[in-house]
Coordinates of all heavy atoms in Angstrom, one line a residue:
Chain A
V286 N 0.7 -7.3 23.9 CA 0.5 -6.3 22.9 C 1.8 -5.6 22.6 O 2.1 -5.3 21.4 CB -0.6 -5.2 23.4 CG1 -0.6 -4.0 22.5 CG2 -1.9 -5.9 23.5
L287 N 2.6 -5.3 23.6 CA 3.9 -4.6 23.4 C 4.8 -5.6 22.6 O 5.6 -5.1 21.8 CB 4.6 -4.3 24.7 CG 4.0 -3.1 25.5 CD1 4.9 -2.7 26.7 CD2 3.9 -1.9 24.6
G288 N 4.7 -6.9 22.8 CA 5.5 -7.8 22.0 C 5.1 -7.7 20.6 O 6.0 -7.7 19.7
Y289 N 3.8 -7.5 20.3 CA 3.4 -7.3 18.9 C 4.0 -6.0 18.3 O 4.4 -6.0 17.2 CB 1.8 -7.3 18.9 CG 1.2 -6.8 17.6 CD1 1.1 -7.7 16.5 CD2 0.8 -5.5 17.4 CE1 0.5 -7.3 15.3 CE2 0.2 -5.1 16.2 CZ 0.1 -6.0 15.2 OH -0.5 -5.6 14.0
L290 N 4.0 -5.0 19.2 CA 4.5 -3.7 18.7 C 6.0 -3.8 18.4 O 6.5 -3.3 17.4 CB 4.4 -2.6 19.8 CG 3.2 -1.7 19.7 CD1 1.9 -2.4 19.5 CD2 3.1 -0.8 20.8
I291 N 6.7 -4.6 19.2 CA 8.2 -4.8 18.9 C 8.4 -5.5 17.6 O 9.2 -5.1 16.8 CB 8.8 -5.6 20.1 CG1 8.8 -4.8 21.4 CG2 10.3 -6.0 19.7 CD1 9.2 -5.6 22.6
V292 N 7.6 -6.6 17.4 CA 7.7 -7.3 16.1 C 7.4 -6.4 14.9 O 8.1 -6.4 13.9 CB 6.7 -8.5 16.1 CG1 6.6 -9.1 14.8 CG2 7.3 -9.6 17.1
Q293 N 6.3 -5.7 15.0 CA 5.9 -4.8 13.8 C 6.9 -3.7 13.6 O 7.1 -3.3 12.4 CB 4.5 -4.2 14.1 CG 3.4 -5.2 14.1 CD 3.3 -6.1 12.9 OE1 3.6 -5.7 11.8 NE2 3.0 -7.4 13.2
S294 N 7.5 -3.2 14.7 CA 8.4 -2.1 14.5 C 9.8 -2.5 13.9 O 10.6 -1.7 13.5 CB 8.7 -1.4 15.8 OG 9.3 -2.3 16.7
R295 N 10.0 -3.8 13.8 CA 11.2 -4.3 13.2 C 11.1 -4.5 11.7 O 12.0 -4.8 11.0 CB 11.7 -5.6 13.8 CG 12.2 -5.3 15.3 CD 12.3 -6.7 16.0 NE 13.3 -7.5 15.3 CZ 14.6 -7.6 15.7 NH1 15.0 -6.9 16.8 NH2 15.4 -8.4 15.1
K296 N 9.9 -4.3 11.2 CA 9.6 -4.5 9.7 C 10.0 -3.2 9.0 O 9.8 -2.1 9.5 CB 8.2 -4.9 9.5 CG 7.8 -6.2 10.1 CD 6.3 -6.5 9.8 CE 6.0 -7.9 10.3 NZ 4.6 -8.3 10.0
A297 N 10.4 -3.4 7.7 CA 10.7 -2.3 6.9 C 9.5 -1.4 6.5 O 9.5 -0.2 6.4 CB 11.5 -2.7 5.6
T298 N 8.4 -2.1 6.2 CA 7.2 -1.4 5.8 C 6.0 -2.1 6.5 O 6.1 -3.3 6.9 CB 6.9 -1.5 4.3 OG1 6.7 -2.8 3.9 CG2 8.1 -1.0 3.5
V299 N 5.0 -1.3 6.8 CA 3.8 -1.8 7.4 C 2.6 -1.3 6.6 O 2.6 -0.3 6.0 CB 3.6 -1.4 8.9 CG1 4.7 -2.0 9.7 CG2 3.7 0.1 9.0
T300 N 1.5 -2.1 6.6 CA 0.3 -1.7 6.0 C -0.4 -0.6 6.8 O -0.1 -0.5 8.0 CB -0.7 -2.9 5.8 OG1 -1.0 -3.3 7.1 CG2 0.0 -4.0 5.0
R301 N -1.4 0.0 6.2 CA -2.1 1.0 7.0 C -2.9 0.4 8.1 O -3.0 1.0 9.2 CB -3.1 1.8 6.0 CG -3.9 2.9 6.7 CD -4.8 3.5 5.7 NE -5.7 4.5 6.3 CZ -5.4 5.7 6.7 NH1 -4.2 6.2 6.5 NH2 -6.3 6.5 7.2
T302 N -3.4 -0.8 7.9 CA -4.1 -1.5 8.9 C -3.2 -1.8 10.1 O -3.6 -1.5 11.3 CB -4.6 -2.9 8.4 OG1 -5.4 -2.6 7.2 CG2 -5.5 -3.6 9.4
T303 N -2.0 -2.3 9.9 CA -1.1 -2.6 10.9 C -0.7 -1.3 11.7 O -0.5 -1.3 12.9 CB 0.2 -3.3 10.4 OG1 -0.2 -4.4 9.7 CG2 1.2 -3.6 11.5
Y304 N -0.5 -0.2 10.9 CA -0.2 1.0 11.6 C -1.2 1.4 12.6 O -0.9 1.8 13.7 CB -0.1 2.1 10.5 CG 0.2 3.5 11.0 CD1 1.6 3.8 11.2 CD2 -0.8 4.4 11.3 CE1 1.9 5.1 11.7 CE2 -0.5 5.7 11.8 CZ 0.8 6.0 12.0 OH 1.1 7.2 12.5
G305 N -2.5 1.2 12.2 CA -3.6 1.5 13.2 C -3.5 0.6 14.4 O -3.8 1.0 15.5

Side-chain angles (χ1 to χ4, degrees):
Chain A
V286 170
L287 286 188
Y289 169 80
L290 262 53
I291 292 168
V292 167
Q293 295 306 321
S294 62
R295 291 166 63 96
K296 293 183 176 176
T298 65
V299 291
T300 63
R301 183 178 171 81
T302 308
T303 302
Y304 180 84

